[in-house]
Amino acid sequence: MKESFSRLRQLEHHINDSIRLYDNVQADDYPAHWNNSFEVIVPIENSYKVYVGETLYEVQEGEVLIIPAGSVHEIYAPEKGRRYIFMIDQSQFYAVEGLAAVQHCFYPCVHLRSEEHAHILPDVLDYLRRAAEEYNGDMVFGGTAARLWLGMMFLKTGRYLLEHESEEVGKAARHRHQQSMTVFLDVCSYIADHCHEKLTLEGVAAYSGYSKFHFARMFKACSGMSFYDFFLRQRMLKCEQLLGDLSLSITEVAMQSGFGSIATFNRIFKQYEKVTPTEYRRLRQLVLTPERASETI
């Protein structure tokens, strides 16, 4: 199991790829863990048992389990089988316009089942198949094509989740709900574009056209988190992207991310990522260039 966990961590910290694909035929069990990436499990042969939190999901052949970043889970494999495990950097998810607005719908996970989701599952599986072909092929722009197909997978699933959520809203409130979501999508894009600035609840509420208190309630209802939690998550994504640029010092990353104090940056980053910025950068470097990892600033 320790070897399996080590392989999963190597997959997670591969520095050059915002997406990784693991074609697994070993009977590997993975102990309880969480990732900074989205993890998509696709059984090709046989079924797999996955605990997300305390809930057991039995993922059959031809089904898909999407586990968002930060969800603690453990995986149990049959003696014989085959599965694809996609690891998709959070930035790829948030880069698809509008998906940030429905990120709460993906938690703690999304299990697309053969019968319950028959109207979208074939398309989702096709997108994942095409992404795998591009990832494993030697075509020009294969990596770009793989990311596009995965973006389509997220779009298809996100649209379904949003429509399903809307169906649960009473007809009398549906129009109002749709108006709120339109505003919310615009606000999420605004926050993502300006997360390095000193955004405030009052300022973003004014941008939305709502009062501070109405905006706070609407944002929590639509996203499942507070404005400040969402704002910090977007800022953490920017930090991770900047930490990939080795020409920038940790202090420069902090300043460009909107932190006025290196101490505050270190504290908040460790709170969200469980490691310091320096440790995070070193982990990202470790797999490809272990001999230089100790030199990383």
Side-chain angles (χ1 to χ4, degrees), residues 2 83 102 117 128 173 183 189 233 245 247 251 257 294:
K2 183 179 294 184
R83 57 186 162 175
V102 294
H117 305 99
L128 291 170
V183 173
S189 296
R233 283 197 182 191
D245 184 351
S247 69
T251 300
S257 301
S294 61

Side-chain angles (χ1 to χ4, degrees), residues 119-140:
H119 56 299
I120 68 164
L121 186 56
D123 285 341
V124 169
L125 288 170
D126 185 53
Y127 299 149
L128 291 170
R129 177 185 62 81
R130 291 174 182 269
E133 288 176 352
E134 293 288 354
Y135 184 91
N136 290 323
D138 56 1
M139 296 290 289
V140 177

Side-chain angles (χ1 to χ4, degrees), residues 57-249:
Y57 297 86
E58 297 203 28
V59 192
Q60 307 294 326
E61 289 183 31
E63 296 184 347
V64 176
L65 185 69
I66 304 173
I67 305 173
S71 286
V72 178
H73 58 286
E74 47 192 311
I75 308 173
Y76 295 93
E79 291 185 3
K80 292 184 179 180
R82 183 185 178 195
R83 57 186 162 175
Y84 279 165
I85 300 178
F86 289 88
M87 303 289 282
I88 307 164
D89 191 278
Q90 290 187 82
S91 61
Q92 293 299 310
F93 177 86
Y94 291 114
V96 181
E97 186 174 356
L99 278 183
V102 294
Q103 62 176 314
H104 65 289
C105 296
F106 284 83
Y107 284 90
C109 68
V110 174
H111 184 191
L112 298 179
R113 301 176 178 87
S114 300
E115 296 183 3
E116 184 178 350
H117 305 99
H119 56 299
I120 68 164
L121 186 56
D123 285 341
V124 169
L125 288 170
D126 185 53
Y127 299 149
L128 291 170
R129 177 185 62 81
R130 291 174 182 269
E133 288 176 352
E134 293 288 354
Y135 184 91
N136 290 323
D138 56 1
M139 296 290 289
V140 177
F141 303 127
T144 300
R147 285 190 289 272
L148 290 172
W149 284 118
L150 290 172
M152 288 296 296
M153 182 273 294
F154 276 130
L155 276 173
K156 186 78 175 184
T157 308
R159 177 179 292 171
Y160 164 79
L161 294 173
L162 186 59
E163 290 174 350
H164 180 71
E165 185 178 64
S166 297
E167 289 173 0
E168 298 177 355
V169 179
K171 289 184 178 180
R174 185 165 298 168
H175 180 64
R176 185 167 62 253
H177 176 76
Q178 290 175 342
Q179 285 183 319
S180 296
M181 288 306 301
T182 299
V183 173
F184 178 61
L185 291 170
D186 180 52
V187 166
C188 287
S189 296
Y190 177 82
I191 295 172
D193 291 340
H194 299 270
C195 63
H196 59 289
E197 301 175 10
K198 293 182 179 179
L199 299 182
T200 64
L201 176 61
E202 293 82 0
V204 178
Y207 171 84
S208 74
Y210 290 126
S211 70
K212 170 185 172 180
F213 298 105
H214 180 78
F215 173 77
R217 289 194 299 270
M218 181 269 291
F219 197 95
K220 178 74 173 179
C222 291
S223 70
M225 67 181 70
S226 72
F227 158 75
Y228 286 109
D229 284 340
F230 182 84
F231 171 48
L232 281 176
R233 283 197 182 191
Q234 298 305 306
R235 185 171 280 190
M236 287 301 101
L237 284 173
K238 185 172 184 64
C239 293
E240 291 173 10
Q241 293 170 353
L242 292 174
L243 285 169
D245 184 351
L246 301 184
S247 69
L248 297 176
S249 68

